[in-house]
Coordinates of all heavy atoms in Angstrom, one line a residue:
Chain B
A16 N 12.8 -6.2 57.8 CA 13.6 -7.2 58.5 C 14.7 -7.8 57.6 O 15.9 -7.9 58.1 CB 12.7 -8.4 58.9
S30 N 4.3 -12.5 64.0 CA 3.2 -12.4 63.0 C 2.0 -13.2 63.6 O 2.2 -14.1 64.4 CB 3.6 -13.0 61.7 OG 2.4 -13.2 60.9
C36 N 5.5 -16.8 60.1 CA 6.7 -16.9 60.9 C 7.7 -18.0 60.3 O 8.9 -17.7 60.2 CB 6.4 -17.2 62.4 SG 5.5 -15.9 63.2
Q57 N 15.2 -10.1 75.8 CA 15.7 -8.9 76.6 C 16.7 -8.1 75.7 O 17.1 -8.6 74.7 CB 16.2 -9.3 77.9 CG 15.1 -9.7 78.9 CD 14.0 -8.7 79.0 OE1 14.3 -7.6 79.5 NE2 12.8 -9.0 78.6
Q70 N -4.1 -2.0 64.1 CA -3.5 -2.9 65.1 C -2.2 -2.4 65.8 O -1.6 -3.1 66.6 CB -3.2 -4.3 64.5 CG -4.5 -5.0 64.1 CD -4.2 -6.1 63.1 OE1 -3.1 -6.7 63.1 NE2 -5.1 -6.4 62.2
I71 N -1.8 -1.2 65.4 CA -0.6 -0.7 66.0 C -0.7 -0.5 67.5 O 0.2 -1.0 68.2 CB -0.2 0.7 65.3 CG1 0.2 0.4 63.8 CG2 1.0 1.3 66.0 CD1 0.4 1.7 63.0
L78 N 2.7 -5.5 74.0 CA 4.1 -5.6 74.0 C 4.7 -5.1 75.3 O 5.7 -5.7 75.8 CB 4.7 -4.8 72.9 CG 4.9 -5.2 71.5 CD1 5.5 -4.1 70.7 CD2 5.8 -6.5 71.4
T89 N 8.9 2.1 67.5 CA 8.4 3.0 66.5 C 7.4 2.2 65.7 O 7.1 1.0 65.9 CB 9.5 3.6 65.7 OG1 8.9 4.6 64.9 CG2 10.1 2.6 64.7
N120 N 1.5 -4.7 46.3 CA 1.5 -6.1 46.8 C 1.4 -6.1 48.3 O 1.6 -5.0 49.0 CB 2.7 -6.8 46.4 CG 2.8 -6.8 44.9 OD1 1.8 -7.0 44.2 ND2 4.0 -6.6 44.3
G129 N 15.7 -3.8 49.5 CA 15.9 -2.5 49.0 C 14.6 -1.7 48.8 O 14.6 -0.7 48.0
E160 N 15.4 8.8 53.2 CA 15.7 10.2 53.5 C 14.7 10.6 54.6 O 13.5 10.4 54.5 CB 15.4 11.0 52.3 CG 15.7 12.5 52.3 CD 17.1 12.8 51.7 OE1 17.5 12.0 50.9 OE2 17.7 13.8 52.2
Y163 N 11.8 15.3 59.6 CA 11.2 15.5 60.9 C 10.0 16.5 60.7 O 10.1 17.5 60.0 CB 12.2 16.2 61.9 CG 13.2 15.2 62.4 CD1 14.5 15.4 62.1 CD2 12.8 14.2 63.3 CE1 15.5 14.5 62.6 CE2 13.8 13.4 63.8 CZ 15.1 13.5 63.4 OH 16.0 12.6 63.9
D165 N 6.0 17.7 62.9 CA 5.2 17.3 64.1 C 4.0 16.6 63.5 O 3.7 16.6 62.3 CB 4.8 18.6 64.9 CG 3.8 19.5 64.3 OD1 2.8 19.0 63.6 OD2 3.9 20.7 64.5
A172 N -0.2 17.0 55.7 CA 0.5 16.8 54.4 C 0.0 15.5 53.8 O -0.3 15.5 52.6 CB 2.0 16.7 54.7
W175 N -3.4 15.6 52.0 CA -3.3 16.1 50.5 C -2.7 15.0 49.6 O -3.3 14.8 48.5 CB -2.4 17.3 50.5 CG -2.9 18.6 51.1 CD1 -2.4 19.2 52.1 CD2 -4.0 19.3 50.6 NE1 -3.2 20.4 52.4 CE2 -4.2 20.4 51.4 CE3 -5.0 19.2 49.6 CZ2 -5.2 21.4 51.3 CZ3 -5.9 20.1 49.4 CH2 -6.1 21.2 50.3
N188 N -13.8 5.7 40.1 CA -14.3 4.3 39.8 C -15.8 4.2 40.0 O -16.5 3.6 39.1 CB -13.6 3.3 40.8 CG -12.1 3.0 40.4 OD1 -11.9 2.7 39.3 ND2 -11.2 3.2 41.3
A197 N -25.2 0.0 28.7 CA -24.3 -1.2 28.8 C -23.3 -1.1 27.8 O -22.1 -1.4 28.0 CB -25.1 -2.5 28.8
D213 N -3.9 4.7 35.8 CA -3.2 5.4 36.9 C -4.1 6.2 37.8 O -4.0 6.2 39.0 CB -2.2 6.4 36.3 CG -0.9 5.7 35.8 OD1 -0.9 4.5 35.9 OD2 0.0 6.4 35.3
G218 N -7.7 4.4 44.3 CA -9.1 4.3 44.7 C -9.6 2.9 44.6 O -10.7 2.6 45.0
N221 N -6.9 -1.3 48.9 CA -7.5 -1.9 50.1 C -8.5 -1.1 50.8 O -8.3 0.0 51.3 CB -6.3 -2.2 51.1 CG -6.7 -3.0 52.3 OD1 -7.9 -2.9 52.7 ND2 -5.8 -3.7 52.9
N232 N -7.7 10.2 60.1 CA -7.3 11.6 59.7 C -8.5 12.4 59.2 O -8.3 13.2 58.3 CB -6.2 11.4 58.6 CG -5.3 12.6 58.5 OD1 -5.3 13.5 59.4 ND2 -4.6 12.8 57.3
V246 N -12.3 23.5 43.9 CA -11.6 23.6 42.7 C -12.3 22.9 41.6 O -12.3 23.4 40.4 CB -10.1 22.9 43.0 CG1 -9.4 22.8 41.6 CG2 -9.3 23.8 43.9
L247 N -12.8 21.7 41.9 CA -13.5 20.9 40.9 C -14.7 21.7 40.3 O -14.9 21.7 39.1 CB -13.9 19.6 41.4 CG -14.6 18.6 40.5 CD1 -13.6 18.1 39.4 CD2 -15.2 17.4 41.2
W259 N -12.8 28.7 27.5 CA -11.7 27.8 27.2 C -10.3 28.3 27.5 O -9.4 27.6 27.9 CB -11.8 27.4 25.7 CG -13.1 26.8 25.4 CD1 -14.0 27.2 24.4 CD2 -13.8 25.7 26.0 NE1 -15.2 26.4 24.5 CE2 -15.1 25.5 25.4 CE3 -13.4 24.8 27.1 CZ2 -15.9 24.5 25.8 CZ3 -14.3 23.8 27.5 CH2 -15.5 23.7 26.8
A269 N -2.1 23.6 36.8 CA -2.1 22.2 37.4 C -0.8 21.5 37.0 O -0.2 20.8 37.8 CB -3.3 21.4 36.9

Side-chain angles (χ1 to χ4, degrees):
Chain B
S30 169
C36 295
Q57 286 307 296
Q70 290 162 35
I71 294 172
L78 277 178
T89 191
N120 302 321
E160 186 94 29
Y163 285 110
D165 75 39
W175 288 115
N188 284 310
D213 280 2
N221 185 336
N232 203 15
V246 169
L247 184 69
W259 305 122

